[in-house]
Amino acid sequence: NHTAAETEKGLTLNSDSSLVVHVPAASTLTIERTAGSVQVRGLDGGLELQQVMGDASLGTLGGDVRVETVHGDLAIRNVEGEVSVRQVMGDASLRNVRTVNVGIVHGDLALRNVEGDVSVAQVHGDALLRTVNGDVTVQVGQRDVNLSNLGGLVLVEAAAGDVRLRGGLAPGKHALTASGDIVVRWPAGAPLTFTASAPEVTNRLALDKEVEEEDGVHGRLGDGETVLMLTAQRRVILRELDEADWEGQWAGDWASVAGDFAGFGVELAGIGEQISGEIAARMAEFSARMEERFGPEFAQTMADKAARKAEKAVDRAMRKAERVRRQGWTPSHSSPTSSQSKKEKQATTEEQLKILSMLENGVISVEEAETLLKALDS
C-alpha cells in the first residue's frame, strides 16, 4: 500500500511495501528513508538518499548525488555531477564519477575513474583508488591503501596497514604515511625526489643521487620536480614499475576484479568452486614470487592479506546472489555434459563473466544479460 500527496516541494510518496516509481528524467529525487534496498537509474536531476537500511545501487545519473547513510553496501556508477557520501556501514564502490567526497566507510572502499578530486575522511577496511585525475586525500585508513594511475597531488595522512603506490605522479609535493610498509613501484626514468623515513629502506631505483641522513634516505632521479615524502613504521620499498609485474597486478587488479564480481549479485553454476580453485592456484604462485623477491616473512604476510581479500569477495558474491534470487531474478544454467572439455568450460565461464561485467557497468539490461547467459548454456 502507498499514498501520494502533492506539496509545495513536489510529489511525496509513502509506501509500506516495495515500490517501483518511474519519473521524468529531469526530476529531482529525494528518498528520506527505506527499510530495504534502493536502485536508481537514468536520472538527470539531483538525487539525495537520507537513510537506506539495505543496499543502494545508483547509476547513469546526470546531476549531483548526496548520500547520508547506507546501512548496507553502496555502488555508484556513471555520474556526471558531484558525489558526496557521509556514511556507509558496508562496502562502497564508485566508478566513472566526476568528484567524490566521502566521510566514513566501515567496509572496503573502491574508487575508479574519477575526473576530479577525491577526499576520504576514514575507511575501516581496505581502500583502492585507481585512475583519479584530480587530487587525492585520504585522512585515515584503518587497513591498506592501494593507489595507482593518479593525476593530481596525493596525501595519505595515516594508514594503519600498508600503502602501495603503482605508477608515477604529477609534479608537486606528495606524502604517504603508514604504520606498516610503503611499497612504491615507480616508472623507469620518471623524475623523482624522495625522502624515505623508516626503520628499513630498500631502494631498487637507478637514482642519480642517494644520501642517507638522520631523518631518512634522500634520493633523486632526473629533474626531481615530483617530490614524494614517505614515512613508515616498518619498511619503505622502492622499485621500478614493471607492467608485467605479476605480484603488482595480483595485489591490485585481481583484488579489484574479485570485488567487482562480488558486486554483480549473480551466482554462476559452480562458480564458487571454480573461484576457490583459482584462489588456491594463484596463492601458490603469488607466495613463491614474493619469497624470491622479498623473503619468506614478507611473502607470507602479503599472501595472507591477498587470500583474505579474495575469500571475502567470494563470500560477498554468494550472499548477494542469494539476495538477487529472493528479488525474483535467477539466470537459468544447464549442467555441462560429460563430453565437454575443460577448455570449453573455461571459455564459457569467461564469457559469462564478460556478460556480467557489461551488466554491472550498465552496458546491457538485466533482461539482455539473462538472454545472453541462456544462449551460452544452449
Side-chain angles (χ1 to χ4, degrees), residues 278-344:
E278 182 73 7
I279 289 174
R282 297 217 178 203
M283 280 299 96
E285 184 177 355
F286 177 72
S287 182
R289 291 188 180 227
M290 284 296 91
E291 183 170 349
E292 180 182 350
R293 293 181 179 178
F294 299 111
E297 180 181 354
F298 183 74
Q300 188 60 49
T301 300
M302 290 297 295
D304 289 345
K305 287 184 178 181
R308 288 196 301 268
K309 187 72 175 176
E311 289 168 1
K312 180 180 178 181
V314 173
D315 178 67
R316 190 184 308 131
M318 299 304 103
R319 287 188 283 108
K320 286 185 178 294
E322 179 61 27
R323 191 177 306 161
V324 169
R325 280 196 294 269
R326 289 198 302 267
Q327 294 173 350
W329 179 62
T330 304
S332 300
H333 301 281
S334 60
S335 300
T337 64
S338 57
S339 62
Q340 284 182 296
S341 68
K342 181 178 180 181
K343 183 176 180 181
E344 288 173 336

Short mmCIF file of all heavy atoms in Angstrom, two decimals, residues 278-344:
data_model
loop_
_atom_site.label_atom_id
_atom_site.label_comp_id
_atom_site.label_asym_id
_atom_site.label_seq_id
_atom_site.Cartn_x
_atom_site.Cartn_y
_atom_site.Cartn_z
N GLU A 278 40.79 -21.33 -8.19
CA GLU A 278 41.65 -20.28 -8.74
C GLU A 278 42.45 -19.59 -7.65
O GLU A 278 43.63 -19.30 -7.80
CB GLU A 278 40.78 -19.24 -9.49
CG GLU A 278 41.57 -18.13 -10.15
CD GLU A 278 42.31 -18.57 -11.38
OE1 GLU A 278 42.11 -19.73 -11.82
OE2 GLU A 278 43.10 -17.80 -11.90
N ILE A 279 41.80 -19.34 -6.51
CA ILE A 279 42.49 -18.71 -5.38
C ILE A 279 43.66 -19.57 -4.94
O ILE A 279 44.77 -19.09 -4.73
CB ILE A 279 41.52 -18.47 -4.22
CG1 ILE A 279 40.53 -17.35 -4.58
CG2 ILE A 279 42.27 -18.10 -2.94
CD1 ILE A 279 39.45 -17.16 -3.55
N ALA A 280 43.43 -20.87 -4.78
CA ALA A 280 44.49 -21.76 -4.32
C ALA A 280 45.67 -21.78 -5.28
O ALA A 280 46.83 -21.73 -4.87
CB ALA A 280 43.92 -23.18 -4.15
N ALA A 281 45.37 -21.83 -6.58
CA ALA A 281 46.44 -21.87 -7.58
C ALA A 281 47.24 -20.57 -7.57
O ALA A 281 48.47 -20.57 -7.63
CB ALA A 281 45.85 -22.13 -8.97
N ARG A 282 46.53 -19.46 -7.52
CA ARG A 282 47.22 -18.16 -7.55
C ARG A 282 48.00 -17.90 -6.27
O ARG A 282 49.04 -17.27 -6.27
CB ARG A 282 46.21 -17.05 -7.78
CG ARG A 282 45.51 -17.17 -9.13
CD ARG A 282 45.28 -15.82 -9.74
NE ARG A 282 44.66 -15.92 -11.03
CZ ARG A 282 44.74 -14.96 -11.94
NH1 ARG A 282 45.43 -13.89 -11.69
NH2 ARG A 282 44.14 -15.10 -13.10
N MET A 283 47.48 -18.40 -5.14
CA MET A 283 48.18 -18.21 -3.87
C MET A 283 49.56 -18.87 -3.91
O MET A 283 50.54 -18.32 -3.42
CB MET A 283 47.37 -18.79 -2.73
CG MET A 283 46.24 -17.91 -2.24
SD MET A 283 46.80 -16.33 -1.60
CE MET A 283 46.56 -15.31 -3.06
N ALA A 284 49.65 -20.06 -4.47
CA ALA A 284 50.92 -20.78 -4.53
C ALA A 284 51.93 -20.00 -5.36
O ALA A 284 53.09 -19.81 -4.95
CB ALA A 284 50.69 -22.17 -5.11
N GLU A 285 51.51 -19.52 -6.53
CA GLU A 285 52.42 -18.76 -7.39
C GLU A 285 52.78 -17.43 -6.76
O GLU A 285 53.93 -16.99 -6.78
CB GLU A 285 51.79 -18.54 -8.76
CG GLU A 285 52.72 -17.83 -9.74
CD GLU A 285 52.09 -17.69 -11.11
OE1 GLU A 285 50.98 -18.22 -11.32
OE2 GLU A 285 52.71 -17.04 -11.97
N PHE A 286 51.79 -16.78 -6.18
CA PHE A 286 51.99 -15.48 -5.54
C PHE A 286 53.02 -15.58 -4.42
O PHE A 286 53.96 -14.80 -4.33
CB PHE A 286 50.65 -15.00 -4.98
CG PHE A 286 50.71 -13.70 -4.22
CD1 PHE A 286 50.91 -12.51 -4.88
CD2 PHE A 286 50.56 -13.69 -2.85
CE1 PHE A 286 50.96 -11.32 -4.18
CE2 PHE A 286 50.62 -12.51 -2.14
CZ PHE A 286 50.81 -11.31 -2.81
N SER A 287 52.87 -16.57 -3.55
CA SER A 287 53.78 -16.74 -2.42
C SER A 287 55.20 -17.04 -2.88
O SER A 287 56.17 -16.52 -2.31
CB SER A 287 53.26 -17.87 -1.51
OG SER A 287 54.09 -18.03 -0.39
N ALA A 288 55.34 -17.87 -3.92
CA ALA A 288 56.67 -18.21 -4.42
C ALA A 288 57.39 -17.00 -4.97
O ALA A 288 58.58 -16.78 -4.70
CB ALA A 288 56.54 -19.30 -5.50
N ARG A 289 56.68 -16.17 -5.71
CA ARG A 289 57.30 -14.97 -6.29
C ARG A 289 57.70 -13.97 -5.22
O ARG A 289 58.75 -13.35 -5.27
CB ARG A 289 56.36 -14.34 -7.31
CG ARG A 289 56.17 -15.18 -8.55
CD ARG A 289 55.39 -14.41 -9.61
NE ARG A 289 55.21 -15.21 -10.79
CZ ARG A 289 55.44 -14.77 -12.02
NH1 ARG A 289 55.87 -13.55 -12.21
NH2 ARG A 289 55.25 -15.56 -13.05
N MET A 290 56.83 -13.80 -4.24
CA MET A 290 57.13 -12.85 -3.16
C MET A 290 58.32 -13.31 -2.33
O MET A 290 59.15 -12.51 -1.91
CB MET A 290 55.89 -12.68 -2.27
CG MET A 290 54.81 -11.81 -2.89
SD MET A 290 55.34 -10.10 -3.15
CE MET A 290 55.97 -10.22 -4.84
N GLU A 291 58.40 -14.62 -2.06
CA GLU A 291 59.51 -15.14 -1.26
C GLU A 291 60.82 -14.95 -1.99
O GLU A 291 61.85 -14.62 -1.38
CB GLU A 291 59.28 -16.62 -0.96
CG GLU A 291 60.36 -17.22 -0.06
CD GLU A 291 59.99 -18.61 0.40
OE1 GLU A 291 58.82 -19.01 0.20
OE2 GLU A 291 60.87 -19.28 0.97
N GLU A 292 60.81 -15.13 -3.31
CA GLU A 292 62.03 -14.96 -4.11
C GLU A 292 62.51 -13.52 -4.09
O GLU A 292 63.71 -13.25 -4.05
CB GLU A 292 61.76 -15.42 -5.54
CG GLU A 292 62.97 -15.28 -6.46
CD GLU A 292 62.63 -15.70 -7.88
OE1 GLU A 292 61.54 -16.28 -8.09
OE2 GLU A 292 63.46 -15.44 -8.76
N ARG A 293 61.58 -12.56 -4.10
CA ARG A 293 61.95 -11.15 -4.22
C ARG A 293 62.17 -10.46 -2.88
O ARG A 293 63.07 -9.64 -2.74
CB ARG A 293 60.87 -10.39 -5.00
CG ARG A 293 60.77 -10.82 -6.45
CD ARG A 293 59.71 -10.03 -7.18
NE ARG A 293 59.62 -10.43 -8.57
CZ ARG A 293 58.75 -9.92 -9.44
NH1 ARG A 293 57.89 -9.02 -9.04
NH2 ARG A 293 58.75 -10.33 -10.69
N PHE A 294 61.34 -10.79 -1.87
CA PHE A 294 61.39 -10.03 -0.63
C PHE A 294 61.64 -10.88 0.62
O PHE A 294 61.70 -10.35 1.72
CB PHE A 294 60.08 -9.26 -0.43
CG PHE A 294 59.80 -8.27 -1.52
CD1 PHE A 294 58.76 -8.49 -2.41
CD2 PHE A 294 60.58 -7.14 -1.67
CE1 PHE A 294 58.50 -7.57 -3.42
CE2 PHE A 294 60.33 -6.23 -2.68
CZ PHE A 294 59.29 -6.45 -3.56
N GLY A 295 61.76 -12.20 0.48
CA GLY A 295 62.00 -13.03 1.63
C GLY A 295 60.73 -13.69 2.13
O GLY A 295 59.61 -13.26 1.82
N PRO A 296 60.86 -14.76 2.94
CA PRO A 296 59.70 -15.56 3.36
C PRO A 296 58.72 -14.81 4.25
O PRO A 296 57.51 -15.00 4.15
CB PRO A 296 60.34 -16.74 4.11
CG PRO A 296 61.70 -16.25 4.50
CD PRO A 296 62.13 -15.32 3.42
N GLU A 297 59.20 -13.93 5.15
CA GLU A 297 58.29 -13.24 6.07
C GLU A 297 57.36 -12.30 5.33
O GLU A 297 56.14 -12.31 5.52
CB GLU A 297 59.10 -12.45 7.11
CG GLU A 297 58.22 -11.71 8.11
CD GLU A 297 59.04 -10.91 9.11
OE1 GLU A 297 60.29 -11.03 9.09
OE2 GLU A 297 58.42 -10.16 9.89
N PHE A 298 57.93 -11.48 4.44
CA PHE A 298 57.11 -10.54 3.67
C PHE A 298 56.17 -11.29 2.73
O PHE A 298 55.01 -10.92 2.55
CB PHE A 298 58.02 -9.61 2.87
CG PHE A 298 57.27 -8.56 2.09
CD1 PHE A 298 56.68 -7.49 2.73
CD2 PHE A 298 57.17 -8.64 0.71
CE1 PHE A 298 56.00 -6.52 2.01
CE2 PHE A 298 56.49 -7.69 -0.02
CZ PHE A 298 55.90 -6.62 0.64
N ALA A 299 56.67 -12.39 2.14
CA ALA A 299 55.84 -13.19 1.23
C ALA A 299 54.63 -13.74 1.94
O ALA A 299 53.51 -13.70 1.42
CB ALA A 299 56.67 -14.33 0.63
N GLN A 300 54.81 -14.26 3.15
CA GLN A 300 53.69 -14.84 3.89
C GLN A 300 52.68 -13.77 4.27
O GLN A 300 51.46 -14.00 4.20
CB GLN A 300 54.20 -15.55 5.14
CG GLN A 300 53.12 -16.35 5.87
CD GLN A 300 52.52 -17.43 5.00
OE1 GLN A 300 53.24 -18.20 4.38
NE2 GLN A 300 51.21 -17.48 4.93
N THR A 301 53.17 -12.60 4.68
CA THR A 301 52.27 -11.50 5.05
C THR A 301 51.40 -11.08 3.88
O THR A 301 50.19 -10.93 4.00
CB THR A 301 53.08 -10.30 5.56
OG1 THR A 301 53.84 -10.69 6.70
CG2 THR A 301 52.16 -9.14 5.93
N MET A 302 52.02 -10.89 2.70
CA MET A 302 51.28 -10.46 1.52
C MET A 302 50.32 -11.55 1.05
O MET A 302 49.19 -11.26 0.67
CB MET A 302 52.25 -10.11 0.40
CG MET A 302 53.06 -8.85 0.65
SD MET A 302 52.01 -7.39 0.76
CE MET A 302 51.39 -7.34 -0.92
N ALA A 303 50.75 -12.80 1.10
CA ALA A 303 49.88 -13.89 0.66
C ALA A 303 48.65 -14.01 1.56
O ALA A 303 47.53 -14.22 1.08
CB ALA A 303 50.66 -15.21 0.65
N ASP A 304 48.84 -13.84 2.86
CA ASP A 304 47.71 -13.92 3.79
C ASP A 304 46.71 -12.81 3.52
O ASP A 304 45.50 -13.03 3.54
CB ASP A 304 48.22 -13.84 5.23
CG ASP A 304 48.96 -15.10 5.67
OD1 ASP A 304 48.83 -16.11 4.97
OD2 ASP A 304 49.67 -15.04 6.69
N LYS A 305 47.22 -11.61 3.28
CA LYS A 305 46.32 -10.49 3.01
C LYS A 305 45.54 -10.71 1.72
O LYS A 305 44.33 -10.47 1.66
CB LYS A 305 47.12 -9.19 2.92
CG LYS A 305 47.64 -8.68 4.25
CD LYS A 305 48.34 -7.35 4.08
CE LYS A 305 48.81 -6.82 5.44
NZ LYS A 305 49.48 -5.50 5.31
N ALA A 306 46.23 -11.16 0.67
CA ALA A 306 45.55 -11.39 -0.61
C ALA A 306 44.50 -12.48 -0.49
O ALA A 306 43.41 -12.38 -1.05
CB ALA A 306 46.59 -11.75 -1.68
N ALA A 307 44.82 -13.54 0.27
CA ALA A 307 43.87 -14.63 0.44
C ALA A 307 42.62 -14.16 1.18
O ALA A 307 41.50 -14.50 0.81
CB ALA A 307 44.52 -15.78 1.18
N ARG A 308 42.81 -13.39 2.24
CA ARG A 308 41.65 -12.89 2.99
C ARG A 308 40.78 -12.01 2.11
O ARG A 308 39.54 -12.06 2.17
CB ARG A 308 42.12 -12.09 4.22
CG ARG A 308 42.70 -12.95 5.33
CD ARG A 308 42.78 -12.17 6.63
NE ARG A 308 43.61 -10.98 6.49
CZ ARG A 308 44.91 -10.96 6.74
NH1 ARG A 308 45.52 -12.06 7.14
NH2 ARG A 308 45.60 -9.83 6.61
N LYS A 309 41.41 -11.19 1.27
CA LYS A 309 40.66 -10.29 0.40
C LYS A 309 39.82 -11.08 -0.61
O LYS A 309 38.64 -10.80 -0.81
CB LYS A 309 41.63 -9.38 -0.35
CG LYS A 309 40.97 -8.30 -1.15
CD LYS A 309 40.38 -7.24 -0.26
CE LYS A 309 39.83 -6.09 -1.09
NZ LYS A 309 39.16 -5.10 -0.24
N ALA A 310 40.44 -12.07 -1.25
CA ALA A 310 39.72 -12.84 -2.25
C ALA A 310 38.61 -13.67 -1.63
O ALA A 310 37.51 -13.77 -2.17
CB ALA A 310 40.70 -13.76 -2.99
N GLU A 311 38.88 -14.29 -0.49
CA GLU A 311 37.85 -15.10 0.18
C GLU A 311 36.68 -14.24 0.62
O GLU A 311 35.52 -14.66 0.54
CB GLU A 311 38.47 -15.81 1.38
CG GLU A 311 39.42 -16.94 0.97
CD GLU A 311 40.23 -17.45 2.13
OE1 GLU A 311 40.03 -16.94 3.26
OE2 GLU A 311 41.06 -18.36 1.92
N LYS A 312 36.97 -13.03 1.07
CA LYS A 312 35.90 -12.13 1.46
C LYS A 312 35.04 -11.76 0.26
O LYS A 312 33.81 -11.69 0.35
CB LYS A 312 36.49 -10.86 2.09
CG LYS A 312 35.45 -9.84 2.52
CD LYS A 312 36.12 -8.62 3.14
CE LYS A 312 35.08 -7.57 3.54
NZ LYS A 312 35.71 -6.35 4.12
N ALA A 313 35.67 -11.54 -0.90
CA ALA A 313 34.92 -11.19 -2.10
C ALA A 313 34.03 -12.33 -2.55
O ALA A 313 32.89 -12.13 -2.95
CB ALA A 313 35.89 -10.82 -3.23
N VAL A 314 34.53 -13.57 -2.47
CA VAL A 314 33.72 -14.73 -2.85
C VAL A 314 32.51 -14.85 -1.93
O VAL A 314 31.38 -15.08 -2.37
CB VAL A 314 34.56 -16.01 -2.81
CG1 VAL A 314 33.68 -17.23 -3.05
CG2 VAL A 314 35.65 -15.95 -3.87
N ASP A 315 32.73 -14.70 -0.63
CA ASP A 315 31.63 -14.80 0.32
C ASP A 315 30.59 -13.72 0.06
O ASP A 315 29.38 -13.98 0.11
CB ASP A 315 32.18 -14.66 1.75
CG ASP A 315 31.07 -14.72 2.79
OD1 ASP A 315 30.46 -15.79 2.93
OD2 ASP A 315 30.82 -13.69 3.45
N ARG A 316 31.04 -12.51 -0.26
CA ARG A 316 30.12 -11.42 -0.54
C ARG A 316 29.32 -11.69 -1.80
O ARG A 316 28.13 -11.39 -1.90
CB ARG A 316 30.90 -10.11 -0.67
CG ARG A 316 30.02 -8.87 -0.70
CD ARG A 316 30.86 -7.62 -0.93
NE ARG A 316 31.94 -7.55 0.03
CZ ARG A 316 33.20 -7.32 -0.30
NH1 ARG A 316 33.55 -7.18 -1.56
NH2 ARG A 316 34.13 -7.26 0.63
N ALA A 317 29.98 -12.30 -2.79
CA ALA A 317 29.29 -12.63 -4.04
C ALA A 317 28.16 -13.62 -3.81
O ALA A 317 27.06 -13.48 -4.35
CB ALA A 317 30.29 -13.20 -5.05
N MET A 318 28.42 -14.62 -2.99
CA MET A 318 27.41 -15.63 -2.73
C MET A 318 26.22 -15.04 -1.97
O MET A 318 25.07 -15.37 -2.23
CB MET A 318 28.02 -16.79 -1.94
CG MET A 318 29.16 -17.53 -2.66
SD MET A 318 28.70 -18.17 -4.29
CE MET A 318 29.48 -16.96 -5.37
N ARG A 319 26.51 -14.16 -1.02
CA ARG A 319 25.41 -13.54 -0.26
C ARG A 319 24.57 -12.64 -1.15
O ARG A 319 23.34 -12.62 -1.05
CB ARG A 319 25.98 -12.74 0.91
CG ARG A 319 26.50 -13.63 2.04
CD ARG A 319 26.87 -12.82 3.27
NE ARG A 319 28.13 -12.15 3.13
CZ ARG A 319 28.29 -10.84 2.96
NH1 ARG A 319 27.23 -10.05 2.92
NH2 ARG A 319 29.49 -10.30 2.86
N LYS A 320 25.23 -11.91 -2.04
CA LYS A 320 24.47 -11.04 -2.94
C LYS A 320 23.68 -11.85 -3.96
O LYS A 320 22.60 -11.45 -4.38
CB LYS A 320 25.43 -10.06 -3.63
CG LYS A 320 25.94 -8.97 -2.72
CD LYS A 320 26.77 -7.96 -3.47
CE LYS A 320 27.22 -6.85 -2.55
NZ LYS A 320 26.09 -6.04 -2.08
N ALA A 321 24.23 -13.00 -4.36
CA ALA A 321 23.49 -13.85 -5.27
C ALA A 321 22.18 -14.32 -4.65
O ALA A 321 21.14 -14.34 -5.29
CB ALA A 321 24.35 -15.06 -5.66
N GLU A 322 22.23 -14.70 -3.39
CA GLU A 322 21.03 -15.13 -2.69
C GLU A 322 20.02 -13.99 -2.59
O GLU A 322 18.81 -14.20 -2.74
CB GLU A 322 21.40 -15.63 -1.29
CG GLU A 322 20.21 -16.08 -0.45
CD GLU A 322 19.47 -17.24 -1.09
OE1 GLU A 322 20.11 -18.01 -1.85
OE2 GLU A 322 18.25 -17.35 -0.88
N ARG A 323 20.52 -12.79 -2.40
CA ARG A 323 19.63 -11.63 -2.31
C ARG A 323 18.93 -11.37 -3.63
O ARG A 323 17.74 -11.06 -3.69
CB ARG A 323 20.45 -10.40 -1.89
CG ARG A 323 19.62 -9.19 -1.50
CD ARG A 323 20.54 -8.08 -1.04
NE ARG A 323 21.43 -8.55 0.02
CZ ARG A 323 22.55 -7.95 0.35
NH1 ARG A 323 22.95 -6.88 -0.30
NH2 ARG A 323 23.30 -8.42 1.33
N VAL A 324 19.69 -11.53 -4.73
CA VAL A 324 19.09 -11.33 -6.05
C VAL A 324 18.03 -12.38 -6.32
O VAL A 324 16.97 -12.11 -6.87
CB VAL A 324 20.19 -11.37 -7.13
CG1 VAL A 324 19.57 -11.45 -8.52
CG2 VAL A 324 21.06 -10.13 -7.02
N ARG A 325 18.30 -13.62 -5.93
CA ARG A 325 17.30 -14.67 -6.15
C ARG A 325 16.01 -14.39 -5.41
O ARG A 325 14.91 -14.62 -5.90
CB ARG A 325 17.88 -16.02 -5.70
CG ARG A 325 18.81 -16.66 -6.72
CD ARG A 325 19.03 -18.13 -6.38
NE ARG A 325 19.76 -18.28 -5.14
CZ ARG A 325 21.08 -18.36 -5.06
NH1 ARG A 325 21.79 -18.27 -6.16
NH2 ARG A 325 21.67 -18.51 -3.90
N ARG A 326 16.14 -13.84 -4.19
CA ARG A 326 14.92 -13.52 -3.42
C ARG A 326 14.13 -12.40 -4.09
O ARG A 326 12.93 -12.30 -3.92
CB ARG A 326 15.31 -13.09 -2.00
CG ARG A 326 15.81 -14.25 -1.15
CD ARG A 326 15.75 -13.88 0.33
NE ARG A 326 16.51 -12.70 0.63
CZ ARG A 326 17.78 -12.72 1.05
NH1 ARG A 326 18.42 -13.87 1.19
NH2 ARG A 326 18.42 -11.60 1.32
N GLN A 327 14.83 -11.57 -4.88
CA GLN A 327 14.15 -10.48 -5.57
C GLN A 327 13.53 -10.92 -6.88
O GLN A 327 12.91 -10.13 -7.57
CB GLN A 327 15.12 -9.32 -5.82
CG GLN A 327 15.59 -8.65 -4.52
CD GLN A 327 16.67 -7.63 -4.76
OE1 GLN A 327 17.22 -7.53 -5.85
NE2 GLN A 327 16.99 -6.85 -3.74
N GLY A 328 13.76 -12.18 -7.23
CA GLY A 328 12.99 -12.72 -8.34
C GLY A 328 13.69 -12.90 -9.65
O GLY A 328 13.06 -13.16 -10.67
N TRP A 329 15.06 -12.75 -9.71
CA TRP A 329 15.74 -12.98 -10.98
C TRP A 329 16.89 -13.94 -10.76
O TRP A 329 17.84 -13.64 -10.04
CB TRP A 329 16.27 -11.70 -11.58
CG TRP A 329 17.00 -11.97 -12.89
CD1 TRP A 329 16.47 -12.50 -14.01
CD2 TRP A 329 18.39 -11.74 -13.16
NE1 TRP A 329 17.42 -12.62 -14.98
CE2 TRP A 329 18.61 -12.16 -14.49
CE3 TRP A 329 19.45 -11.25 -12.42
CZ2 TRP A 329 19.85 -12.07 -15.10
CZ3 TRP A 329 20.69 -11.16 -13.02
CH2 TRP A 329 20.88 -11.56 -14.35
N THR A 330 16.79 -15.12 -11.34
CA THR A 330 17.87 -16.09 -11.28
C THR A 330 18.12 -16.62 -12.68
O THR A 330 17.23 -17.20 -13.30
CB THR A 330 17.50 -17.28 -10.37
OG1 THR A 330 17.16 -16.76 -9.08
CG2 THR A 330 18.67 -18.25 -10.25
N PRO A 331 19.30 -16.39 -13.24
CA PRO A 331 19.57 -16.90 -14.59
C PRO A 331 19.51 -18.41 -14.62
O PRO A 331 19.85 -19.08 -13.64
CB PRO A 331 21.01 -16.41 -14.85
CG PRO A 331 21.26 -15.33 -13.85
CD PRO A 331 20.42 -15.66 -12.67
N SER A 332 19.04 -18.95 -15.73
CA SER A 332 18.98 -20.39 -15.89
C SER A 332 20.31 -20.90 -16.40
O SER A 332 20.95 -20.28 -17.24
CB SER A 332 17.88 -20.76 -16.89
OG SER A 332 16.63 -20.31 -16.43
N HIS A 333 20.74 -22.07 -15.90
CA HIS A 333 22.00 -22.66 -16.33
C HIS A 333 21.80 -24.16 -16.51
O HIS A 333 21.23 -24.82 -15.65
CB HIS A 333 23.11 -22.44 -15.28
CG HIS A 333 23.37 -21.00 -15.00
ND1 HIS A 333 24.12 -20.21 -15.84
CD2 HIS A 333 22.95 -20.20 -13.99
CE1 HIS A 333 24.18 -18.99 -15.34
NE2 HIS A 333 23.48 -18.95 -14.23
N SER A 334 22.28 -24.68 -17.61
CA SER A 334 22.22 -26.13 -17.81
C SER A 334 23.54 -26.74 -17.38
O SER A 334 24.59 -26.15 -17.54
CB SER A 334 21.97 -26.43 -19.29
OG SER A 334 23.01 -25.89 -20.08
N SER A 335 23.48 -27.94 -16.82
CA SER A 335 24.69 -28.60 -16.36
C SER A 335 25.52 -29.03 -17.56
O SER A 335 24.99 -29.50 -18.57
CB SER A 335 24.33 -29.83 -15.52
OG SER A 335 23.57 -29.44 -14.40
N PRO A 336 26.85 -28.90 -17.49
CA PRO A 336 27.68 -29.31 -18.61
C PRO A 336 27.63 -30.83 -18.79
O PRO A 336 27.56 -31.58 -17.83
CB PRO A 336 29.09 -28.88 -18.18
CG PRO A 336 29.02 -28.75 -16.69
CD PRO A 336 27.61 -28.33 -16.39
N THR A 337 27.65 -31.27 -20.05
CA THR A 337 27.62 -32.70 -20.33
C THR A 337 28.99 -33.30 -20.10
O THR A 337 30.00 -32.60 -20.08
CB THR A 337 27.19 -32.94 -21.79
OG1 THR A 337 28.20 -32.37 -22.64
CG2 THR A 337 25.86 -32.26 -22.08
N SER A 338 29.02 -34.60 -19.94
CA SER A 338 30.28 -35.28 -19.68
C SER A 338 31.25 -35.18 -20.84
O SER A 338 32.45 -35.39 -20.68
CB SER A 338 30.01 -36.75 -19.36
OG SER A 338 29.32 -37.35 -20.44
N SER A 339 30.75 -34.86 -22.04
CA SER A 339 31.62 -34.79 -23.21
C SER A 339 32.30 -33.44 -23.36
O SER A 339 33.16 -33.26 -24.21
CB SER A 339 30.80 -35.09 -24.47
OG SER A 339 29.77 -34.12 -24.62
N GLN A 340 31.90 -32.45 -22.57
CA GLN A 340 32.52 -31.13 -22.67
C GLN A 340 33.95 -31.20 -22.18
O GLN A 340 34.25 -31.83 -21.19
CB GLN A 340 31.77 -30.10 -21.82
CG GLN A 340 30.46 -29.63 -22.44
CD GLN A 340 29.82 -28.58 -21.56
OE1 GLN A 340 29.45 -28.86 -20.45
NE2 GLN A 340 29.71 -27.39 -22.07
N SER A 341 34.83 -30.51 -22.88
CA SER A 341 36.23 -30.47 -22.46
C SER A 341 36.44 -29.38 -21.43
O SER A 341 35.63 -28.48 -21.28
CB SER A 341 37.13 -30.19 -23.68
OG SER A 341 36.91 -28.86 -24.15
N LYS A 342 37.55 -29.48 -20.70
CA LYS A 342 37.88 -28.48 -19.68
C LYS A 342 38.04 -27.10 -20.32
O LYS A 342 37.65 -26.08 -19.76
CB LYS A 342 39.16 -28.89 -18.96
CG LYS A 342 39.58 -27.94 -17.87
CD LYS A 342 40.83 -28.44 -17.18
CE LYS A 342 41.25 -27.48 -16.08
NZ LYS A 342 42.49 -27.96 -15.41
N LYS A 343 38.61 -27.06 -21.51
CA LYS A 343 38.82 -25.79 -22.21
C LYS A 343 37.50 -25.11 -22.54
O LYS A 343 37.33 -23.91 -22.41
CB LYS A 343 39.63 -26.02 -23.48
CG LYS A 343 39.97 -24.74 -24.23
CD LYS A 343 40.86 -25.04 -25.42
CE LYS A 343 41.20 -23.76 -26.19
NZ LYS A 343 42.06 -24.04 -27.35
N GLU A 344 36.51 -25.89 -22.97
CA GLU A 344 35.20 -25.34 -23.30
C GLU A 344 34.52 -24.77 -22.08
O GLU A 344 33.89 -23.72 -22.12
CB GLU A 344 34.33 -26.44 -23.93
CG GLU A 344 34.77 -26.81 -25.34
CD GLU A 344 34.01 -28.02 -25.85
OE1 GLU A 344 33.52 -28.79 -25.00
OE2 GLU A 344 33.91 -28.18 -27.07
#
